[in-house]
Amino acid sequence: MSQVKGKQAAKARETQRRIRTAAGELFVETGYGNTSLQDIADRAGVAVQTIYFTFRNKRNLLKALVDITVAGDEESLATMDRPWFTRAIDAKTAEDHLSAHVEGATAILDRVALITDVLHAAASIEPELDALRRQGLDQRYTVQEASARSLLDKPGAVSTMTADQAADILFAVLSPELYLLLVRDRGWSVDRWQRWAYTTLRAQLVEDHATP
């Protein structure tokens, strides 16, 4: 790639980043339905035609925002290939696995909880977005199920629970809805949430005789 083309690509990525950031802020502040592409363009400092050219419409912009918020970057790397997840999978004990998993999941929740809330509300306005909402739920469960199966195979894991049961518990406790209820609505700090989630899950998934 030539230096000129490299600069153009970098400029395009920065423009897209500004558009996504502006959209995310406005969707949270005023709601998906109350935010126009012109509003987003004004905050991002771009022409509205730039948004149309890049994302085509507001629905596609929200989809792109959700995808990159979940990932945390622009790399095309699946959640189960991310370092935080593989660190949990590679842990030697159920307790260490759970600690790494909760830490990684909390970092994701801190990024995605608000935009997930926006998506759920937007799906009631634009039915096309409901498929994206349901896909997100399925993907999140798949991640929790893989983690649950790995955790239960390790020393210190409870022996009276199936992988499906453990996955359901991880799916529920480490959910955007519960995170928002306690962090946004009840004013918990992220650190307090993480400690609580770990303690709550440990009581369910790790044997009592494991080292605290």
Side-chain angles (χ1 to χ4, degrees), residues 11-204:
K11 183 178 179 181
R13 287 194 298 271
E14 174 58 20
T15 298
Q16 291 173 20
R17 185 197 65 77
R18 295 208 325 266
I19 292 170
R20 289 194 305 266
T21 298
E25 291 171 351
L26 287 167
F27 290 159
V28 171
E29 291 171 12
T30 64
Y32 177 83
N34 293 326
T35 300
S36 69
L37 289 182
Q38 186 63 60
D39 294 332
I40 296 169
D42 291 343
R43 179 166 294 197
V46 302
V48 71
Q49 290 83 359
T50 301
I51 300 180
Y52 282 116
F53 178 78
T54 306
F55 297 101
R56 292 176 42 215
N57 55 47
K58 188 168 65 170
R59 182 169 61 251
N60 286 342
L61 175 52
L62 177 57
K63 289 179 180 179
L65 179 60
V66 169
D67 287 343
I68 201 163
T69 303
V70 170
D73 54 45
E74 297 184 23
E75 294 184 24
S76 56
L77 193 63
T79 298
M80 287 190 285
D81 293 326
R82 295 268 166 180
W84 75 268
F85 188 84
T86 58
R87 187 163 53 249
I89 295 297
D90 292 340
K92 301 303 182 184
T93 68
E95 189 168 18
D96 288 344
H97 179 124
L98 182 62
S99 178
H101 186 77
V102 171
E103 180 181 0
T106 300
I108 292 179
L109 286 169
D110 194 40
R111 292 196 307 268
V112 308
L114 287 173
I115 203 64
T116 299
D117 199 38
V118 168
L119 175 60
H120 288 185
S124 65
I125 300 172
E126 295 193 21
E128 297 92 338
L129 288 171
D130 191 53
L132 181 63
R133 181 191 67 82
R134 287 184 282 105
Q135 181 186 48
L137 289 173
D138 291 343
Q139 291 173 341
R140 186 160 61 84
Y141 187 84
T142 296
V143 169
Q144 303 299 357
E145 184 180 35
S147 186
R149 292 186 183 281
S150 177
L151 185 151
L152 291 182
D153 281 340
K154 293 174 179 174
V158 294
S159 57
T160 57
M161 186 174 294
T162 67
D164 286 345
Q165 290 170 332
D168 285 347
I169 292 171
L170 289 172
F171 184 72
V173 174
L174 300 176
S175 67
E177 294 81 7
L178 189 51
Y179 181 87
L180 287 177
L181 180 66
L182 295 177
V183 175
R184 180 190 62 187
D185 299 340
R186 296 302 308 155
W188 284 24
S189 69
V190 177
D191 286 344
R192 182 183 178 187
W193 155 267
Q194 184 173 323
R195 291 193 303 270
W196 173 83
Y198 172 75
T199 301
T200 300
L201 289 168
R202 186 181 183 281
Q204 295 286 315

